[in-house]
Structure formats: structure tokens, C-alpha cells
Amino acid sequence: MKRTVFITGATSGIGKACAQTFAANGDRIILNGRRKERLVELKEILEEEYNIEILLAPFDVQQKEEVFKTINSFPKEWQSIDILINNAGLAIGRDLFDQADITDWETMLQTNVNGLIYVSKAVLPFMIKKNSGHIINLGSTAGNEVYERGNIYCASKSAVDAISQSMRIDLLPHQIKVTNVKPGAVETEFSLVRFKGNEEKALNTYEGFTPLTAEDIAGAIFYCASLPPNVCINDLTITCTAQANGIYFYKR
Ligand code: NDP
Ligand code: 8X3
């Protein structure tokens, strides 16, 4: 069955792979991200390849007013959102607590926590109106275990965990599913962003082991989103075989 799927952070990595996976199923997709040119390009590719409908919603999830204004003015035929994938997020810096840049911390909290809250609050009235829906949040193994120099990124993903639990409880009367997907290391643009464009450091992150791919995570998200109405996967921690949890890796 065709669903309406809203994916934040669809210009790259896991969000983009989700767009491709849901598009291949014939779902209608709302694509968000800040880099509009990438969204336009993805829209053209998906429309051409899968003959599906796409709506572009280019905005910065940190900007509360912009988030509400854009989502509140979605055309009527796009308001019946079945699945929201709160994927937009980032790590910036990997520094000791006393040496890290406070602006980097603020950006992570504003994106990974505030952004997720704003988008969810704006979309919820549409889901509540039809008494169904599925919110899929991108947590992380970093929200399970804190690692050295992970500090505020880990805190932001721990917050995603708490927010997911709280949504699940409070939204029970509205029959809205909430899933917290918690990947370990996935090779995307994530590390390039974390290390502020330093390609060597980014590549080094995945040295000596085979990480997950964005498509691995998109496949798992698609599975969670395709179960019968009475079934909800609450939490899903996924790592590559060389990773045991947020801290332990086996690297060659
Ligand atoms: P990428 O850097 O490849 O993609 C991140 C996406 O988030 C981009 O599309 C980016 O789009 C978007 N984004 C970032 N900031 C904003 C913003 N303010 N407003 C709107 N969109 C934004 O990384 P991943 O695909 O790996 O990351 C996706 C999610 O998965 C994140 O929440 C991340 O924390 C989580 N995650 C990643 C893991 C990994 O190892 N890669 C592991 C566990 C979780 P644009 O820049 O165009 O706005
Ligand atoms: C991303 C995975 O290990 O960089 O959430 O925290 S990690």
C-alpha cells in the first residue's frame, strides 16, 4: 500500500537511502534537508525511476518558525502523513569536554534534539487527526553508551532515546507507533561533517573494519515501517559485525 513518508535530512546518507528504499515501494515522499539543489536532483531521479509523487520541504530543522510555517502549509493532499523519519542530525567535533567548542555543542543539540521536537510537534496534529501514524527517530549506539570525546553528541542521542520513550507513552491513545533506530558506525557523510571536512580523519573512522551502509539502515527502517498495525518495534540497535556496542570494535 502507498504511504506518505516524511524524511528529514534526505540529502545524504541514511535519509537519502530511506528515500530510495521507500520510493522503490511506490510510497509518496516528502523530502527535507537544507541543500535544496540536492533535494531537487533526488526528486527528479526518484520520479523518473519509480514514477512516484515527491514534495520538497527544504528547511533547517533548527529554525522553529520555519519548521512550523512550512509543515502547516503543506498542500492538503500531503497532510495525511503516515510515517515521519526524524533522521536529520549530525555530530560536530570529537574533542575532550574541556576542549570542545560550545558552538558545536549548541548546533548538535539544536539539530538532533530541538529539530526533532519541532518537526514532530508540527506533524503530530496530522497523525492525531487520523488516529494513526509512525514516528521513526534516528538515535544511535552513542545514546546507549557514552564514549570518550563523544560528550554532547552522546547526550543528544540519549535525549532522542528519552524523547522516543516519552512519545510512545503519551501518544498511546492516538495509536501512533514510535521506533528508536540506533545504528552503530555507518559510512556516510557523517564523519566528514564531524571532522569539519577533514577527509583523512573521516576515512580513518572506518579503517580496519567493514561498517554498516546507509542502505543497511534504510532496509531495517523499511522493515519497521512495514509491519502489521498491531506490531511496533520500539528500539532497534544495529551494528556491523565488527562492533559490539558504542565503544567496542574489532579493527584489523
Ligand atoms: P549524513 O551527514 O550523511 O546526513 C545527515 C543529513 O542530515 C543530511 O541530509 C543533512 O542535510 C541533514 N541535516 C543536518 N542538519 C540539518 C538541519 N539543521 N536541517 C535539516 N537537515 C539537516 O549523516 P547520516 O546519514 O549518517 O546521519 C543521519 C542520522 O543518523 C543522524 O541523525 C545521525 O546522528 C544518525 N546516525 C548516524 C550514524 C553514522 O555512523 N553515520 C550512526 C548512528 C546514528 P543538509 O546538510 O542538506 O541539511
Ligand atoms: C554515530 C555513531 O559511533 O560515531 O551515531 O557515535 S558514533
Side-chain angles (χ1 to χ4, degrees), residues 1-32:
M1 200 184 71
K2 265 201 234 170
R3 291 91 47 98
T4 299
V5 185
F6 182 6
I7 306 168
T8 67
T11 58
S12 158
I14 296 169
K16 186 176 179 184
C18 284
Q20 279 155 338
T21 303
F22 283 84
N25 185 54
D27 294 319
R28 324 162 73 222
I29 306 180
I30 304 170
L31 297 173
N32 159 265

Coordinates of all heavy atoms in Angstrom, one line a residue, residues 1-32:
M1 N 0.8 -1.2 0.0 CA 0.0 0.0 0.0 C 0.9 1.3 0.0 O 1.9 1.3 0.7 CB -0.9 0.0 1.3 CG -2.1 0.9 1.1 SD -3.0 1.0 2.7 CE -1.9 1.9 3.7
K2 N 0.5 2.3 -0.8 CA 1.2 3.5 -0.8 C 1.1 4.3 0.5 O 0.0 4.5 0.9 CB 0.6 4.4 -1.9 CG 1.3 4.3 -3.3 CD 1.0 5.5 -4.1 CE 0.4 5.1 -5.4 NZ -0.1 6.2 -6.1
R3 N 2.2 4.7 1.1 CA 2.1 5.5 2.3 C 2.7 6.9 1.9 O 3.4 7.1 1.0 CB 3.0 4.9 3.4 CG 2.5 3.6 4.0 CD 3.0 2.4 3.4 NE 4.4 2.2 3.1 CZ 5.3 1.6 3.9 NH1 4.9 1.0 5.1 NH2 6.5 1.5 3.6
T4 N 2.4 7.9 2.8 CA 3.1 9.2 2.7 C 4.1 9.2 3.8 O 3.9 9.1 5.0 CB 2.0 10.3 2.9 OG1 1.1 10.2 1.8 CG2 2.7 11.7 2.8
V5 N 5.4 9.4 3.3 CA 6.5 9.3 4.2 C 7.3 10.6 4.2 O 7.7 11.1 3.1 CB 7.5 8.1 3.7 CG1 8.6 7.9 4.7 CG2 6.7 6.8 3.5
F6 N 7.5 11.2 5.4 CA 8.2 12.4 5.5 C 9.6 12.1 6.1 O 9.7 11.6 7.2 CB 7.4 13.3 6.4 CG 8.0 14.7 6.7 CD1 9.1 15.2 6.0 CD2 7.4 15.6 7.6 CE1 9.6 16.5 6.2 CE2 7.9 16.9 7.8 CZ 9.0 17.3 7.1
I7 N 10.7 12.4 5.3 CA 12.0 12.1 5.7 C 12.8 13.4 5.9 O 13.0 14.2 5.0 CB 12.8 11.2 4.7 CG1 11.9 10.0 4.4 CG2 14.2 10.8 5.2 CD1 12.4 9.2 3.1
T8 N 13.3 13.6 7.1 CA 14.2 14.8 7.3 C 15.6 14.4 7.1 O 16.0 13.2 7.3 CB 14.0 15.4 8.7 OG1 14.5 14.5 9.7 CG2 12.6 15.8 9.1
G9 N 16.4 15.3 6.6 CA 17.8 15.0 6.3 C 18.0 14.0 5.1 O 18.7 13.0 5.3
A10 N 17.3 14.3 4.0 CA 17.3 13.3 2.9 C 18.3 13.6 1.8 O 18.3 13.0 0.8 CB 15.9 13.2 2.3
T11 N 19.2 14.6 2.1 CA 20.1 15.0 1.0 C 21.4 14.1 1.0 O 22.2 14.2 0.1 CB 20.6 16.5 1.2 OG1 21.2 16.6 2.5 CG2 19.5 17.5 1.1
S12 N 21.5 13.2 2.0 CA 22.7 12.4 2.1 C 22.4 11.2 3.0 O 21.4 11.1 3.7 CB 23.8 13.3 2.7 OG 24.8 12.6 3.3
G13 N 23.4 10.2 2.9 CA 23.4 9.1 3.9 C 22.1 8.3 4.1 O 21.5 7.9 3.1
I14 N 21.8 8.2 5.4 CA 20.7 7.3 5.7 C 19.3 7.9 5.2 O 18.5 7.1 4.7 CB 20.6 7.1 7.3 CG1 21.9 6.4 7.8 CG2 19.4 6.4 7.7 CD1 22.1 6.4 9.3
G15 N 19.2 9.2 5.3 CA 17.9 9.8 4.8 C 17.7 9.6 3.3 O 16.6 9.2 2.9
K16 N 18.8 9.8 2.6 CA 18.7 9.6 1.1 C 18.4 8.1 0.8 O 17.6 7.8 -0.1 CB 20.0 10.0 0.5 CG 20.0 10.0 -1.0 CD 21.3 10.6 -1.6 CE 21.3 10.6 -3.1 NZ 22.6 11.0 -3.6
A17 N 19.1 7.2 1.5 CA 18.9 5.8 1.3 C 17.4 5.4 1.6 O 16.8 4.6 1.0 CB 19.9 4.9 2.1
C18 N 16.9 6.0 2.7 CA 15.5 5.8 3.0 C 14.6 6.2 1.9 O 13.6 5.5 1.5 CB 15.1 6.5 4.3 SG 15.7 5.7 5.8
A19 N 14.9 7.4 1.3 CA 14.1 7.9 0.2 C 14.0 6.9 -0.9 O 13.0 6.6 -1.5 CB 14.6 9.3 -0.2
Q20 N 15.2 6.4 -1.2 CA 15.3 5.4 -2.3 C 14.5 4.1 -2.0 O 13.8 3.6 -2.9 CB 16.8 5.1 -2.7 CG 17.4 6.2 -3.5 CD 18.9 6.4 -3.4 OE1 19.5 6.0 -2.4 NE2 19.5 7.0 -4.4
T21 N 14.7 3.7 -0.8 CA 14.0 2.4 -0.4 C 12.5 2.5 -0.4 O 11.8 1.7 -0.9 CB 14.5 2.0 1.0 OG1 15.9 1.9 0.9 CG2 14.0 0.7 1.4
F22 N 12.0 3.6 0.2 CA 10.5 3.8 0.3 C 10.0 4.1 -1.2 O 8.9 3.7 -1.5 CB 10.1 4.9 1.3 CG 10.2 4.4 2.7 CD1 11.4 4.4 3.4 CD2 9.1 3.9 3.3 CE1 11.5 4.0 4.7 CE2 9.1 3.5 4.7 CZ 10.3 3.5 5.4
A23 N 10.8 4.8 -1.9 CA 10.3 5.2 -3.3 C 10.2 3.9 -4.1 O 9.2 3.7 -4.9 CB 11.3 6.1 -4.0
A24 N 11.1 2.9 -3.9 CA 11.1 1.7 -4.7 C 9.8 0.9 -4.3 O 9.3 0.0 -5.1 CB 12.3 0.8 -4.3
N25 N 9.2 1.2 -3.2 CA 8.0 0.5 -2.7 C 6.7 1.3 -3.3 O 5.6 0.9 -3.1 CB 7.9 0.5 -1.2 CG 6.7 -0.2 -0.7 OD1 6.5 -1.4 -1.0 ND2 5.9 0.4 0.2
G26 N 7.0 2.4 -4.0 CA 5.9 3.2 -4.5 C 5.3 4.2 -3.6 O 4.2 4.8 -3.8
D27 N 5.9 4.4 -2.4 CA 5.4 5.4 -1.4 C 5.6 6.8 -1.9 O 6.5 7.1 -2.8 CB 6.1 5.2 -0.1 CG 5.8 3.9 0.6 OD1 4.7 3.5 0.5 OD2 6.7 3.2 1.1
R28 N 4.7 7.7 -1.4 CA 4.9 9.2 -1.8 C 5.8 9.7 -0.7 O 5.6 9.4 0.5 CB 3.5 9.9 -1.7 CG 2.3 9.1 -2.1 CD 1.1 9.8 -1.6 NE 0.7 11.0 -2.3 CZ 0.3 12.1 -1.7 NH1 0.1 12.1 -0.4 NH2 0.0 13.2 -2.4
I29 N 6.7 10.6 -1.1 CA 7.7 11.0 -0.1 C 7.8 12.6 0.0 O 7.8 13.3 -1.0 CB 9.1 10.4 -0.5 CG1 8.9 8.9 -0.6 CG2 10.1 10.7 0.5 CD1 10.1 8.2 -1.0
I30 N 8.0 13.0 1.2 CA 8.3 14.4 1.4 C 9.8 14.5 1.8 O 10.2 13.8 2.8 CB 7.4 15.0 2.6 CG1 5.9 14.9 2.3 CG2 7.8 16.5 2.8 CD1 5.0 15.2 3.4
L31 N 10.5 15.2 1.1 CA 12.0 15.2 1.3 C 12.4 16.6 2.0 O 12.1 17.6 1.4 CB 12.7 15.1 0.0 CG 12.5 13.8 -0.8 CD1 13.2 14.0 -2.2 CD2 13.1 12.6 -0.1
N32 N 13.1 16.5 3.1 CA 13.7 17.7 3.7 C 15.2 17.6 3.8 O 15.8 16.6 3.7 CB 13.1 17.7 5.2 CG 14.0 18.6 6.1 OD1 14.9 18.1 6.8 ND2 13.8 19.9 6.0

